[in-house]
Amino acid sequence: MIIAGSLLLGLFLLLLVFVDRFIEPILKDRLHTLIIQGSDSLYTYTLGKLKANFYGGNVEVQNLQINIDSNRYEYLRKRNALPSLSMQLSLQKGQINGVGIIGILFGKKIRVEEIVSKQADITLTRNIRPRNASDQNLPVWKAIQPKISSIYVGAIKLDGIKMLYKNADTSESVKLQFDRCDAAFNDILIDSAAAFDTTRIGFTKEISMKFNDLKFRTSDSAYKMKAEWIKYSSKARTLEVDSFKLQPTLEREDFYSAANRQTSLYYIEFAKVRFVNTRLDHFIHNNVIGADSVVFEKPDVKIYNDKSLPPDFESKIGKFPHQRLLAAGATINVKNVSFNDASLQLTEKDAETNKEGILTLNHLNFGASNVTNDTSLIKKNPICFASFSGNIFNNSPVSLSLKLYLDSSNGRFDASGVVKNVSAAQLNQLAVPLANVQINSCNIHDLKFNVIGEDYSAAANVRMLYNNLSITLRKTDEETGQTKTKKFMTKMLNRFVIWPNNPGPDGFERTAQNKRVSRLTTQSFFGLLWKTIFAGMQDVMMRSGRYQ
């Protein structure tokens, strides 16, 4: 009995050795099928070592390199047959646990409990298809047949890998670099049934990803962007970005020295942005950005412009906010966008005074609805509504409401707003450095406006209640830089041109009705809006005409 038992044990051990050696060629063959046939020969690969343990059902993979065949890539690109995402992989070591050896040996099914890797570099390239282009790809589940009938993986865990994401076929390609990525893909099933399971994302039931230390530069290297964390959950359908910052690569002086023209300089930060009920696969495969809501927490935006430089004559016609939305390369459908407790600082350097005027808006709460460029949705609801409320000049209440007509061919919009309780000291933060005008006294109690505009003009109705308006006109000597009072013009202005109060002593309230202005082609949306409102304010303040 002892001898028989020893013989059986010996035979069993020999069988294990035989199977271990026999299983490795089969696994390599299946790997070849998956990489080459599954990608329609898009990829080439090299494999360092593959070690299989039949008894434990474990496989160790070392030095797996997957690269794109450039000739095949070009062939598939011309036929619109590239996958939505292509990949390059450098895997130093990976562990495949719980391999169903019996299914591999005697069947065509691959079943794996878990794939784990902590040592990998991945480059993902997104191949954006034209809108409404048909998918010419051969499905993976069909491409791997007849050698493999189905693949099931319980979980794939990537811990601390490095990732680079970019868009293909553009000189202005977006490139996002992540120093650390942790990802989990659960319940992966590749077969004909799973391909039509709408609850799955790329054959996967559940995906969670967390990216750390995002780094990004624009194609011209003018701006750099970073974020501490980006988190995505397919189960919760949420995407979160924490601690985001965008700023110029160069210091201000170097930036304008390189630009040599008037252009805005942006600094943007926010604590968090959260996309709710969003589908990442819709963006990857169909270039659709959709969400029930997008919420920004505590955005801080600073915009600077040096008007002492030569002007930029590039036309801004067709570039209102809703026109840019309609012209976006992706299909966008976001039901609601909101900014909570935002702050905005606009700084402008004047060419004549060589000084900076600063306009601050804080504690802003912004909301927009029906943010879309989907033509089918616009036919049902053609208006995007937007509004914000907060403080201007730190403590004066301000509110603005916008109606943006998405079906308009000329950028039509309506705007209405209110500003309350603004003093001369607050106005001088802009009037002195930007207009070389000293407002000696003025209290604006209530300013209300309604504006209707389009690409080339806008008209406003303005109501402004104020008292004690007094102004000093000044002039700066170009050679010495000294500022002097224009005494005669100041006296004439205060005595004969402006009304010091509205309503006047007789109780009559002056208003501006249908005050129309023409838009400069270089003027922005908010530049046109302010120009129209101010034209109405001038009509209210001045006895006849407008002082230039």
Side-chain angles (χ1 to χ4, degrees):
M1 291 291 293
I2 296 176
I3 296 175
S6 299
L7 286 173
L8 288 173
L9 179 60
L11 288 172
F12 181 70
L13 291 174
L14 287 172
L15 179 63
L16 288 180
V17 172
F18 171 76
V19 171
D20 277 349
R21 292 183 178 180
F22 180 68
I23 196 66
E24 289 183 12
I26 294 178
L27 288 173
K28 289 180 179 179
D29 180 69
R30 298 297 186 266
L31 182 65
H32 179 90
T33 300
L34 183 60
I35 295 175
I36 303 301
Q37 288 184 218
S39 69
D40 196 8
S41 300
L42 175 62
Y43 299 119
T44 62
Y45 76 98
T46 58
L47 176 63
K49 291 183 179 180
L50 187 150
K51 298 180 181 179
N53 185 324
F54 174 77
Y55 183 74
N58 300 326
V59 178
E60 184 179 285
V61 178
Q62 295 181 9
N63 298 324
L64 174 62
Q65 308 290 326
I66 299 178
N67 295 294
I68 294 174
D69 185 318
S70 57
N71 292 328
R72 187 63 178 176
Y73 179 94
E74 188 63 22
Y75 174 86
L76 295 173
R77 185 191 65 81
K78 290 179 178 179
R79 287 156 180 77
N80 195 34
L82 284 171
S84 301
L85 280 179
S86 53
M87 174 190 72
Q88 289 179 273
L89 171 68
S90 176
L91 176 69
Q92 287 76 46
K93 183 182 291 187
Q95 193 74 24
I96 306 173
N97 302 321
V99 179
I101 303 297
I102 302 301
I104 294 176
L105 288 174
F106 304 106
K108 297 180 180 180
K109 296 182 178 180
I110 297 177
R111 186 175 182 87
V112 175
E113 290 183 4
E114 182 183 61
I115 299 175
V116 180
S117 178
K118 297 183 179 180
Q119 302 176 49
D121 292 343
I122 299 176
T123 298
L124 295 176
T125 302
R126 182 163 169 256
N127 305 295
I128 302 174
R129 296 193 187 96
R131 287 188 184 183
N132 302 320
S134 59
D135 189 353
Q136 302 297 322
N137 291 322
L138 183 67
V140 175
W141 63 269
K142 187 178 289 186
I144 60 178
Q145 294 178 350
K147 287 188 176 182
I148 303 173
S149 62
S150 69
I151 300 174
Y152 173 80
V153 180
I156 298 177
K157 296 180 181 179
L158 305 177
D159 186 8
I161 67 171
K162 292 185 178 181
M163 179 178 289
L164 175 66
Y165 168 90
K166 61 181 181 179
N167 285 342
D169 296 335
T170 170
S171 59
E172 299 182 356
S173 176
V174 173
K175 295 182 180 179
L176 304 178
Q177 179 180 323
F178 302 95
D179 281 351
R180 180 183 176 92
C181 170
D182 300 318
F185 304 83
N186 297 322
D187 190 359
I188 303 157
L189 179 61
I190 302 177
D191 65 10
S192 57
F196 299 98
D197 185 349
T198 58
T199 65
R200 292 180 178 272
I201 298 176
F203 299 103
T204 305
K205 201 72 171 180
E206 184 179 336
I207 300 173
S208 63
M209 295 184 290
K210 185 165 68 172
F211 305 95
N212 178 233
D213 197 16
L214 162 69
K215 295 176 182 177
F216 164 74
R217 287 198 180 203
T218 55
S219 58
D220 58 1
S221 294
Y223 287 89
K224 56 185 177 182
M225 178 179 74
K226 64 180 182 179
E228 185 174 345
W229 289 103
I230 298 178
K231 305 172 186 176
Y232 173 74
S233 169
S234 66
K235 184 177 182 180
R237 292 191 177 182
T238 57
L239 174 67
E240 294 184 1
V241 181
D242 285 353
S243 305
F244 174 89
K245 180 182 290 187
L246 180 143
Q247 63 186 36
T249 306
L250 301 174
E251 296 295 327
R252 182 186 299 172
E253 183 177 341
D254 295 330
F255 178 90
Y256 281 108
S257 177
N260 197 31
R261 61 183 173 86
Q262 295 178 20
T263 184
S264 295
L265 195 57
Y266 296 91
Y267 303 82
I268 301 174
E269 295 184 34
F270 53 78
K272 179 181 290 187
V273 59
R274 180 180 173 88
F275 291 72
V276 178
N277 196 22
T278 188
R279 290 284 298 265
L280 190 59
D281 56 316
H282 288 182
F283 172 67
I284 292 173
H285 298 302
N286 304 314
N287 207 26
V288 174
I289 300 173
D292 282 352
S293 65
V294 180
V295 182
F296 291 82
E297 297 291 344
K298 295 186 176 180
D300 183 10
V301 179
K302 294 180 174 67
I303 304 175
Y304 184 93
N305 202 343
D306 188 345
K307 290 296 183 74
S308 66
L309 294 171
D312 183 359
F313 293 107
E314 181 182 356
S315 175
K316 291 185 172 65
I317 301 298
K319 296 181 180 179
F320 285 164
H322 51 307
Q323 291 174 318
R324 288 182 179 272
L325 169 65
L326 293 170
T331 300
I332 298 173
N333 177 23
V334 178
K335 295 180 181 179
N336 294 285
V337 177
S338 62
F339 295 178
N340 297 330
D341 196 18
S343 60
L344 173 64
Q345 183 183 88
L346 304 172
T347 305
E348 185 176 300
K349 183 179 180 181
D350 186 71
E352 181 182 348
T353 66
N354 207 34
K355 295 180 179 179
E356 296 177 352
I358 301 176
L359 174 66
T360 58
L361 295 96
N362 51 28
H363 300 302
L364 296 175
N365 292 308
F366 167 88
S369 61
N370 194 37
V371 181
T372 185
N373 59 6
D374 189 316
T375 53
S376 62
L377 296 175
I378 291 173
K379 289 179 181 179
K380 297 176 182 177
N381 183 3
I383 299 176
C384 172
F385 292 93
S387 64
F388 77 79
S389 61
N391 294 331
I392 190 170
F393 298 117
N394 292 322
N395 54 17
S396 297
V398 60
S399 63
L400 174 69
S401 296
L402 297 170
K403 289 174 67 176
L404 308 174
Y405 294 83
L406 302 175
D407 60 348
S408 171
S409 61
N410 63 354
R412 180 188 168 190
F413 70 90
D414 299 342
S416 61
V418 177
V419 181
K420 291 181 177 290
N421 303 328
V422 180
S423 67
Q426 292 171 304
L427 293 172
N428 280 328
Q429 297 174 32
L430 298 177
V432 172
L434 300 184
N436 222 359
V437 171
Q438 175 77 42
I439 301 175
N440 306 314
S441 63
C442 180
N443 294 301
I444 299 178
H445 304 291
D446 192 30
L447 169 64
K448 295 180 179 178
F449 57 86
N450 290 282
V451 178
I452 297 175
E454 40 85 19
D455 273 331
Y456 295 98
S457 66
N461 297 332
V462 177
R463 179 174 184 254
M464 185 171 70
L465 306 180
Y466 66 93
N467 68 296
N468 297 328
L469 176 61
S470 173
I471 296 174
T472 296
L473 302 179
R474 312 191 313 172
K475 182 178 181 180
T476 300
D477 189 288
E478 293 183 2
E479 294 183 0
T480 65
Q482 292 183 338
T483 300
K484 297 181 179 179
T485 299
K486 299 162 72 172
K487 294 182 180 179
F488 177 75
M489 292 297 295
T490 295
K491 184 179 292 186
M492 295 295 292
L493 177 68
N494 287 307
R495 182 171 295 182
F496 300 111
V497 178
I498 64 173
W499 296 98
N501 303 291
N502 186 40
D506 57 359
F508 178 75
E509 179 186 336
R510 300 177 305 281
T511 61
Q513 298 295 323
N514 197 32
K515 190 63 186 180
R516 182 167 293 277
V517 300
S518 297
R519 179 193 183 190
L520 298 173
T521 59
T522 57
Q523 208 158 36
S524 67
F525 175 81
F526 288 101
L528 174 62
L529 185 60
W530 166 242
K531 180 182 179 181
T532 310
I533 296 168
F534 189 65
M537 294 170 63
Q538 286 180 305
D539 270 13
V540 173
M541 292 185 291
M542 295 186 178
R543 297 174 188 266
S544 61
R546 279 185 281 166
Y547 177 78
Q548 300 289 345

